[in-house]
């Protein structure tokens, strides 16, 4: 089967969050048995130089190439450049719209850039004559509306990674979608008087998936449907939750080159202790005690991730012996608060502002616990990375976190600490339970449990296979 994915992110080329990791790891698994292609934008600053094959493809279909709109002329000038990534073919959309960007998101004309990119992905699916077209998140959702309208449409799947970002724009900004080469009737995509790209994907795709069964259930009701639960309910029979997998070549303490010392389930105690010691040295706090819990936090500092709740719980439970290492960037107020705490309590709290892939691995390896106090979490990858590194996750009971972490009373099944409701009181109590667990005999068993969990794609890839079959059968 020939599968074309369309995405704004793909690790290690363009990564802003979990979408990049999810797609790189899923395609790696799919490529073992299928022909896998990925369409991506080519931006100015990439995480890795692509391995170009020299082949190029048009980004507009011949039948659409003659009209004189701005969009058509941009697409005529652009092209897809092919690169090889261990047998997966990457198609980088080389266009003046993206070439100068240092970062993929955040410009005020995203609605335009991503619509043009979506058309190009749709065109590529026809040019490559793929069997399945799989688009991810709102950035590529308009390609599904184009597929649906096309007389030679390709079976399509839309994966929602995060409903909080919908690409909704006032209609006056999206009038170009009525013109060539789009020719779309956009009124069904109306949501709150705006043209909503996410809704377009939901209404147009053959099949819809999201990244965990728990999140799927949550999105069928408000507030977690972010206003689109009615559209998802309408497509209920074609909507499935499939848990993300992880890449155990990238995230594996036995072989990770980014950490200070590799380790496995048989020597995790010494391995993690060495990593903790070296991390403390690297962050300029070599005197910190090794025998008290280290709690790691990594993530985009956005509303979703619940950091203000953590701050409140942290201040309320200052008597706890825990040390904290936090890596992230985003919301300015949260950054300011973290800098302030690390200034006044340097022996308790360390904050690294920014994006740092190596440090993320080192924190996973060094920490005893990993905290994710998310208000909502479609899947979340770090709790699964934590399991692999023998780092006990402390998570709020939402979305993919509740599908992957269980605070069972039966020690054989305990895989972390789970709190609910998501407020400072219950998070604080979870931090207390972490202290007790750290000091107890149970800790060894829990670490053994989690390091033996299998979160790889091997089993879950098949769930996508059956969604692809459904999408194909809809068009036959
Ligand atoms: P989301 O996609 O909502 O950000 P996920 O848990 O799915 O959340 O994935 C986040 C990914 O991004 C993880 O691989 C995490 O380690 C990484 N990440 C987030 N922030 C940073 C950062 N500041 N530095 C390095 N890696 C980060
Ligand atoms: C999104 C979600 C996150 C998920 C990731 C990959 O960014 O916020 O929960 O793990 O996509 O699917």
């Amino acid at each position: 089967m020939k599968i074309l994915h369309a995405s704004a992110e793909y690790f290690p080329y363009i990564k802003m969050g979990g979408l990049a990791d999810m797609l790189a790891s899923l395609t790696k698994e799919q490529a073992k048995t299928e022909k896998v292609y990925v369409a991506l934008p080519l931006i100015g600053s990439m995480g890795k130089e692509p391995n170009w094959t020299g082949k190029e493809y048009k980004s507009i279909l011949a039948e659409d190439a003659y009209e004189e709109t701005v969009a058509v002329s941009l697409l005529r000038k652009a092209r897809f450049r092919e690169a090889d990534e261990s047998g997966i073919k990457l198609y980088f959309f080389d266009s003046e719209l993206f070439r100068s960007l240092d970062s993929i998101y955040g410009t005020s004309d995203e609605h335009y850039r991503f619509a043009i990119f979506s058309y190009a992905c749709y065109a590529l699916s026809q040019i490559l004559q793929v069997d399945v077209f799989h688009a991810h998140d709102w950035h590529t959702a308009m390609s599904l509306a184009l597929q649906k309208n096309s007389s030679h449409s390709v079976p399509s799947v839309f994966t929602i990674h995060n409903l909080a970002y919908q690409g909704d724009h006032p209609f006056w900004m999206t009038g170009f979608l009525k013109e060539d080469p789009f020719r779309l009737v956009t009124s069904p995509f109306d949501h709150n008087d705006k043209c909503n790209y996410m809704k377009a994907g939901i209404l147009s795709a053959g099949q819809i998936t999201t990244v965990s069964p728990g999140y799927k259930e949550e999105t069928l009701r408000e507030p977690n449907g972010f206003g689109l639960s009615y559209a998802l309910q309408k497509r209920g029979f074609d909507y499935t939750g499939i848990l993300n997998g992880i890449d155990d070549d990238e995230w594996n303490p036995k072989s990770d080159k980014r950490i200070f010392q590799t380790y496995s389930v048989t020597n995790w105690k010494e391995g993690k202790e060495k990593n903790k010691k070296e991390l403390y040295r690297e962050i300029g706090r070599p005197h910190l005690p090794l025998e008290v819990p280290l709690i790691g936090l990594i993530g985009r500092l956005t509303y979703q991730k619940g950091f203000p709740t953590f701050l409140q719980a942290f201040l309320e439970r200052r008597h706890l012996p825990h040390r904290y290492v936090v890596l992230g960037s985003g919301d300015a107020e949260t950054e300011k608060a973290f800098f302030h705490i690390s200034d006044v309590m340097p022996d308790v709290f360390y904050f690294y502002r920014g994006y740092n892939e190596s440090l993320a691995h080192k924190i996973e390896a060094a920490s005893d616990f990993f905290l994710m106090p998310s208000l909502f979490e479609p899947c979340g990858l770090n709790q699964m990375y934590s399991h692999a590194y023998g780092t006990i996750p402390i998570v709020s009971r939402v979305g993919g976190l509740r599908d992957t972490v269980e605070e069972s009373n039966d020690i054989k099944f305990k895989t972390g600490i789970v709190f609910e409701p998501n407020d400072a009181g219950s998070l604080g109590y979870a931090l207390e339970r972490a202290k007790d667990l750290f000091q107890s005999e149970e800790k060894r068993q829990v670490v053994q449990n989690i390091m033996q969990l299998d979160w790889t794609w091997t089993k879950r890839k098949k769930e996508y296979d059956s969604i692809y079959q459904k999408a194909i059968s809809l068009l036959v």
Side-chain angles (χ1 to χ4, degrees), residues 264-436:
S264 71
V265 70
T266 53
N267 64 350
W268 60 268
K269 201 164 182 306
E270 302 75 45
K272 287 188 74 66
E273 194 166 293
K274 171 84 173 153
N275 277 291
K276 197 182 202 178
K277 196 169 167 197
E278 293 302 324
L279 179 69
Y280 283 156
R281 199 192 300 274
E282 185 165 301
I283 65 175
R285 282 138 170 96
H287 53 281
L288 290 187
L290 300 177
E291 61 288 352
V292 297
L294 170 62
I295 301 190
L297 292 96
I298 304 171
R300 297 177 292 112
L301 305 183
T302 62
Y303 168 79
Q304 172 187 349
K305 302 293 176 182
F307 286 104
T309 319
F310 159 63
L311 271 174
Q312 199 188 331
F314 165 76
L315 293 172
E316 286 173 11
R317 310 275 168 159
R318 262 171 300 179
H319 59 274
L320 289 171
H322 308 337
R323 301 309 198 256
Y324 298 86
V325 172
V326 183
L327 163 64
S329 64
D331 174 56
E333 284 300 307
T334 313
E335 288 182 357
K336 221 161 89 187
F338 283 165
F339 275 129
H340 178 69
I341 299 177
S342 49
D343 275 351
V344 295
M345 289 188 237
D347 285 348
V348 177
F349 197 99
Y350 172 82
F351 175 48
Y352 181 104
R353 176 179 172 274
Y355 183 88
N356 188 327
E357 191 74 29
S358 281
L359 184 57
H361 284 247
K362 288 174 181 164
I363 292 174
E364 281 290 6
S367 301
D368 300 293
F369 296 93
F370 191 92
L371 178 58
M372 298 176 80
S374 307
L375 301 181
F376 63 94
E377 194 61 77
C379 180
L381 298 175
N382 275 109
Q383 78 282 15
M384 296 191 269
Y385 298 154
S386 297
H387 281 158
Y389 283 70
T391 306
I392 302 171
I394 305 173
V395 303
S396 53
R397 198 171 175 277
V398 291
L401 301 179
R402 76 179 152 113
D403 289 342
T404 47
V405 184
E406 201 176 337
E407 189 172 0
S408 172
N409 286 331
D410 183 343
I411 183 71
K412 288 200 294 296
F413 300 108
K414 191 167 188 160
T415 59
I417 294 176
V418 184
F419 62 93
E420 184 183 45
N422 197 341
D423 57 27
S426 55
L427 169 46
Y429 180 45
L431 294 175
E432 301 271 1
R433 297 205 292 290
K435 173 178 158 254
D436 296 343

